[in-house]
Amino acid sequence: MASDTKLTLAKLAELAGVSTSTASRALKDNPLIKKETRLKIQALAKSHNFSINAAASRLRTQKTHVIAVILNLIDNTEQSTTDPFLLKLVGELNQALNAKGYELLLSNSFMASDDWANYFIHSQRADGILVIGQGKSTAKIDLAAKSGVPIVVWGDAKTQAPYPIVGGNNFQGGYQGTSHLLSRGAKRVLFLGDSEHAEMQERHKGYTQAHAEAGLTPDPSCTCAIDITSKAAYQYINERIKSNGLDFDGIVCVSDMVALGALKALKERYVGIPSDVGIVGYDDISLAELMHPSLTTIRQNTQQAAELMVAQLINQLENKPTESQVVETSLIVRRSTKHD
């Protein structure tokens, strides 16, 4: 009897030599299924003590083997799914999920409405959710987690949260990039990005700490709140130079795309890089090495990140304990900063 209760609808369908949906319809006596097939499957179910009600409820609770990956973009941003770092992480997540037998469903926070639990899980689009980015507000993430949905977030792992967060050591990344510029003689280093994001906030703390250790106090006007796009960086650097002249000799950027915009604006004005201004990016996208000059940047191990995120999600699906985890972060020195 014990083995009979473990018989799944999929197994029953296999025994009958039909698809799972055909078996389900046959058990519900759906007239679209040939009578002969219906009787055969019903008899098979009866001989295995597989009740029709159990079949129906199992169909309702059937796992989709799909995981929703949500790009949690903030409102009023031009950052999009074409951002190379986001694409890189999505690609790594896809591989990590496939290796565990799951498919990836890509969505963004604008499409997924406010109630992610209903949109993805209760409607049987997916079994769990992976979120890329905490954004400025975690309201939607918190709401989904509160309703018991399996969820893992790529963000700042130091954040206290009732769900696991996997992310790079943002404080260390901000500190490494800034220290590198200051140790090579920079005196006025801009922090280019939005420090209200949880991740960027930690990077900004690292930027401040590096200054403190060098015996410097960063000028508040050197913290530049901009959207995380190359276009925003390009416009900001152009406008700043028009208004103030070249009043900085280093830039720490919150992404390589932001660095690319800053680099373009400076080169168009014939500013020497790194002789006049040193630039450090963040993420080490493949384009970083191809820029001219090639970009010094902070590399986050996205493959490790994806594997950790998927492992934490599967722990939740299997009712095992979970924890937030930090991913390796390293400084990659190239030609956009002065060499020793």
Side-chain angles (χ1 to χ4, degrees), residues 206-247:
Y207 162 87
T208 306
Q209 177 67 23
H211 277 85
E213 284 184 16
L216 298 166
T217 305
D219 185 330
S221 75
C222 288
T223 295
C224 324
I226 64 159
D227 193 11
I228 312 171
T229 64
S230 51
K231 182 182 171 186
Y234 175 77
Q235 287 173 341
Y236 178 83
I237 294 297
N238 265 328
E239 282 160 23
R240 183 170 186 124
I241 293 173
K242 261 186 217 166
S243 305
N244 305 354
L246 192 65
D247 68 334

Side-chain angles (χ1 to χ4, degrees), residues 177 180-181 184 186 249-253 256 259-260 262-263 266-267 271-282 288-289 291-298 331-339:
H180 175 69
L181 285 172
R184 274 147 185 77
D249 54 8
I251 311 176
V252 168
C253 303
D256 289 342
L260 182 62
L263 193 71
L266 292 171
K267 281 171 76 174
V271 174
I273 301 162
S275 55
D276 298 324
V277 177
I279 301 181
V280 178
Y282 210 106
E289 206 170 359
M291 290 181 194
H292 185 68
S294 56
L295 188 65
T296 294
T297 187
I298 304 294
L331 176 74
I332 308 299
V333 179
R334 297 198 182 100
R335 299 202 169 275
S336 67
T337 53
K338 290 175 186 171
H339 287 239

Side-chain angles (χ1 to χ4, degrees), residues 183-214:
S183 70
R184 274 147 185 77
K187 294 281 184 280
R188 274 181 66 84
V189 177
L190 302 185
F191 180 90
L192 206 52
D194 191 342
S195 60
E196 285 184 35
H197 272 73
E199 292 167 81
M200 311 315 168
Q201 218 168 57
E202 281 297 308
R203 291 176 200 175
H204 190 262
K205 285 179 189 171
Y207 162 87
T208 306
Q209 177 67 23
H211 277 85
E213 284 184 16

Side-chain angles (χ1 to χ4, degrees), residues 1-8 11 48-50 58:
M1 182 75 184
S3 64
D4 293 338
T5 56
K6 285 182 184 171
L7 183 76
T8 62
K11 191 75 183 161
H48 283 83
N49 291 328
F50 188 92
R58 279 196 182 107

